[in-house]
């Protein structure tokens, strides 16, 4: 059984890690749309068009039985369009606002995500529905996903930039302080140790990756999708640029993924990101 895990880059590996642990008998195809990275500043319509085009190729080519959209920026936008267009089940990831609102002791929580995720009506609705009795700070970080990609590749990162990106997450009000920060981007768990060191006070950092993997396993069971143990195959990785830097290749191979090249007719037709309508949200 093939499970597709999709992100704008290598951040979705935080979800793949959990999914492989819970569903180790299945074959995984990891797809990073590095040619479109970062997704945080794409406008909604252009991103929907782009992703539907990519999934058309991926589904035809790899015949997955389940797809995990391991990207909050995409999931908070595109799940209805994917479910309408394709018949396989999709599982998405969204910021863990409900658990944060339930667990906070101080009543002050922060959603840290890309500007795209922060602005989505879907995210605003989650806050209204589950956290209206809490004080919620929404932080749209413009450079954090890129910092995470650099860090994951073993490159040195700018600590002062990281400190500045997370500074608005920490709020003090009437003697109370933010005590939970929900990681609303799959790239951020890879930076959590560095963020912890730079935090002005300790907080809980909530990562929904494991919950998403559990949800995917529930869907597999519900659909009675069982592993094809007779035909063992390698997990593979595809980067849409076709030419990821050697640091990313090493990372993927080190995780036991075979890098495979794949052409995407929809990208060739649309030309560059700018021609496809990549505009700031
Ligand atoms: N990893 C993605 C997310 O969960 C987005 C990073 C980006 O492309 O800006 O939102």
């Amino acid at each position: 059984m093939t499970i597709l895990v999709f992100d704008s880059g290598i951040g979705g590996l935080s979800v793949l890690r959990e999914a492989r642990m819970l569903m180790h008998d299945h074959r995984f195809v990891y797809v990073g749309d590095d040619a479109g990275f970062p997704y945080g500043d794409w406008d909604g319509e252009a991103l929907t068009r782009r992703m539907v085009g990519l999934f058309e190729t991926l589904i035809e080519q790899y015949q997955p039985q389940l797809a995990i959209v391991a990207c909050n920026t995409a999931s908070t936008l595109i799940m209805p369009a994917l479910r309408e267009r394709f018949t396989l089940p999709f599982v998405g990831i969204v910021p863990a606002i409900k658990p944060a609102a339930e667990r906070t002791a101080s009543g002050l929580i922060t959603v840290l995500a890309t500007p795209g995720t922060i602005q989505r009506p879907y995210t605003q609705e989650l806050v209204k529905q589950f956290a209206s009795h809490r004080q919620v700070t929404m932080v749209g970080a413009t450079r954090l996903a890129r910092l995470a990609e650099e860090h994951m590749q073993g490159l040195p990162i700018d600590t002062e930039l990281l400190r500045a990106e997370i500074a608005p997450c920490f709020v003090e009000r009437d003697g109370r302080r933010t005590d939970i920060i929900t990681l609303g981007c799959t790239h951020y768990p890879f930076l959590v140790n560095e963020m912890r060191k730079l935090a002005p006070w300790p907080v809980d950092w909530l990562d929904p990756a494991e919950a998403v993997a559990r949800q995917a396993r529930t869907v597999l069971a519900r659909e009675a999708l069982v592993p094809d143990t007779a035909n063992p195959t390698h997990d593979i990785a595809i980067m849409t640029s076709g030419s990821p830097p050697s640091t990313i290749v090493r990372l993927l191979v080190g995780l036991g993924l075979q890098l495979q090249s794949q052409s995407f007719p929809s990208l060739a037709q649309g030309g560059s990101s700018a021609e496809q309508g990549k505009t700031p949200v």
Side-chain angles (χ1 to χ4, degrees):
M1 208 58 58
T2 296
I3 302 174
L4 196 78
V5 179
F6 182 97
D7 182 36
S8 59
I10 48 179
L13 292 171
S14 61
V15 177
L16 178 71
R17 182 172 59 190
E18 302 294 334
R20 276 171 133 187
M21 267 193 278
L22 292 185
M23 297 171 284
H24 50 84
D25 288 339
H26 296 272
R27 174 221 195 191
F28 286 88
V29 175
Y30 182 81
V31 183
D33 183 13
D34 59 341
F37 179 84
Y39 274 4
D41 59 357
W42 275 77
D43 101 310
E45 259 178 49
L47 185 55
T48 303
R49 263 200 318 276
R50 180 183 182 87
M51 282 188 61
V52 169
L54 293 176
F55 271 90
E56 268 165 8
T57 303
L58 292 166
I59 290 169
E60 191 187 312
Q61 190 75 29
Y62 299 96
Q63 312 268 310
Q65 279 75 31
L66 171 75
I68 302 176
V69 180
C71 174
N72 295 256
T73 315
S75 294
T76 48
L77 171 77
I78 203 186
M79 300 312 279
L82 291 177
R83 289 183 175 130
E84 193 186 316
R85 172 71 184 78
F86 305 105
T87 51
L88 78 161
F90 284 89
V91 172
I93 186 164
V94 298
I97 292 168
K98 184 168 182 259
E102 285 167 358
R103 288 180 213 171
T104 177
S106 71
L108 269 60
I109 63 175
T110 292
V111 181
L112 177 62
T114 66
T117 300
I118 292 296
Q119 287 171 27
R120 299 259 190 267
Y122 187 93
T123 311
Q124 305 284 341
E125 192 49 44
L126 283 180
V127 173
K128 228 192 279 167
Q129 203 178 339
F130 298 113
S132 52
H133 56 309
R134 303 298 190 199
Q135 286 174 304
V136 185
T137 302
M138 307 287 274
V139 178
T142 53
R143 289 163 296 186
L144 219 43
R146 199 173 285 285
L147 281 179
E149 292 245 334
E150 288 165 7
H151 184 58
M152 291 168 75
Q153 294 170 64
L155 304 172
I157 56 165
D158 182 339
T159 309
E160 283 321 303
L161 183 57
L162 180 57
R163 193 194 302 277
E165 287 281 285
I166 65 167
C169 296
F170 294 85
V171 176
E172 284 189 282
R173 200 165 294 155
D174 308 326
R176 293 173 300 131
R177 289 169 153 182
T178 303
D179 63 353
I180 298 187
I181 298 178
T182 179
L183 300 172
C185 170
T186 53
H187 281 74
Y188 301 169
F190 293 105
L191 280 177
V192 86
N193 284 334
E194 280 57 40
M195 297 197 287
R196 212 170 255 142
K197 283 181 218 152
L198 298 172
W201 58 81
V203 294
D204 280 350
W205 305 85
L206 274 195
D207 174 11
E210 193 197 333
V212 169
R214 268 190 272 117
Q215 171 63 13
R217 189 177 56 178
T218 303
V219 173
L220 284 188
R222 192 181 65 211
E223 307 271 324
L225 297 171
V226 289
D228 181 8
T229 40
N231 297 302
T233 35
H234 280 288
D235 289 351
I236 62 175
I238 294 157
M239 301 304 285
T240 57
S241 67
S243 54
S246 57
T247 42
I248 289 191
V249 175
R250 269 203 300 280
L251 174 72
L252 296 171
V253 171
L255 292 171
L257 299 164
Q258 276 184 0
L259 193 64
Q260 196 150 310
S261 69
Q262 172 67 51
S263 61
F264 291 94
S266 59
L267 295 190
Q269 283 154 20
S272 68
S273 297
E275 285 158 12
Q276 286 187 50
K278 183 171 179 170
T279 50
V281 287

